[in-house]
Structure formats: structure tokens, C-alpha cells
């Protein structure tokens, strides 16, 4: 039995009055994931903006990238 199936089994056995507390907890966990994603993206932008490398603005074409990575377009 997978962990997801185990969790569903436990939920099915809970009395109805505990379900609202469980929903609050699960929504909090979902919110944490969204916050972590946002924080990760913010760090990427900050790192880019604070990067002093003179070549950070250099670009290559999609074709060049594909060739370098061994991908055929």
C-alpha cells in the first residue's frame, strides 16, 4: 500500500469532527509549497541581479544551445 493510500485510509477512519482540522493542516502544507516556489524564484532573480559577471548578458540562439546539448531540432 502506497503512502498516499495509507493516508487516505487513515482519513476515511477519522471522525467527521476532525476533518476540518485536517483540511486546515493540508491547506497550510499546500501554501508552504507555493511560498517555497516563490522564494526560490526570488532567489534566482536576486542572484542574477547581484551577479557581477560581465558575460551575464551574453546570449546564444536556440539552435546553438541545442547543438551544444546534443539535441536535434
Amino acid at each position: 500500500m502506497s503512502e498516499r493510500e495509507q493516508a487516505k485510509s487513515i482519513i476515511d477512519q477519522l471522525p467527521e469532527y476532525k476533518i476540518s482540522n485536517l483540511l486546515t493542516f493540508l491547506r497550510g502544507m499546500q501554501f508552504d509549497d507555493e511560498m517555497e516556489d516563490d522564494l526560490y524564484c526570488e532567489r534566482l532573480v536576486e542572484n542574477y541581479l547581484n551577479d557581477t559577471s560581465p558575460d551575464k548578458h551574453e546570449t546564444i540562439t536556440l539552435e546553438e544551445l541545442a547543438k551544444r546539448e546534443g539535441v536535434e531540432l
Side-chain angles (χ1 to χ4, degrees):
M1 179 180 286
S2 73
E3 289 181 339
R4 182 178 295 272
E5 291 169 331
Q6 290 176 40
K8 287 178 181 179
S9 175
I10 291 169
I11 291 169
D12 288 341
Q13 296 173 29
L14 289 175
E16 194 63 34
Y17 73 92
K18 291 187 175 184
I19 298 297
S20 64
N21 290 338
L22 178 61
L23 281 174
T24 301
F25 173 76
L26 292 173
R27 287 184 182 125
M29 290 189 67
Q30 183 179 28
F31 181 70
D32 283 350
D33 284 348
E34 292 169 7
M35 281 180 47
E36 288 176 22
D37 289 346
D38 290 345
L39 291 172
Y40 175 76
C41 292
E42 288 174 19
R43 282 194 307 272
L44 285 177
V45 169
E46 263 184 52
N47 290 343
Y48 175 78
L49 293 175
N50 293 327
D51 184 1
T52 58
S53 300
D55 60 343
K56 80 174 186 181
H57 297 291
E58 289 182 13
T59 61
I60 62 172
T61 65
L62 179 59
E63 290 77 15
E64 290 173 300
L65 176 62
K67 183 178 179 181
R68 184 171 68 185
E69 297 300 319
V71 175
E72 189 175 320
L73 295 178

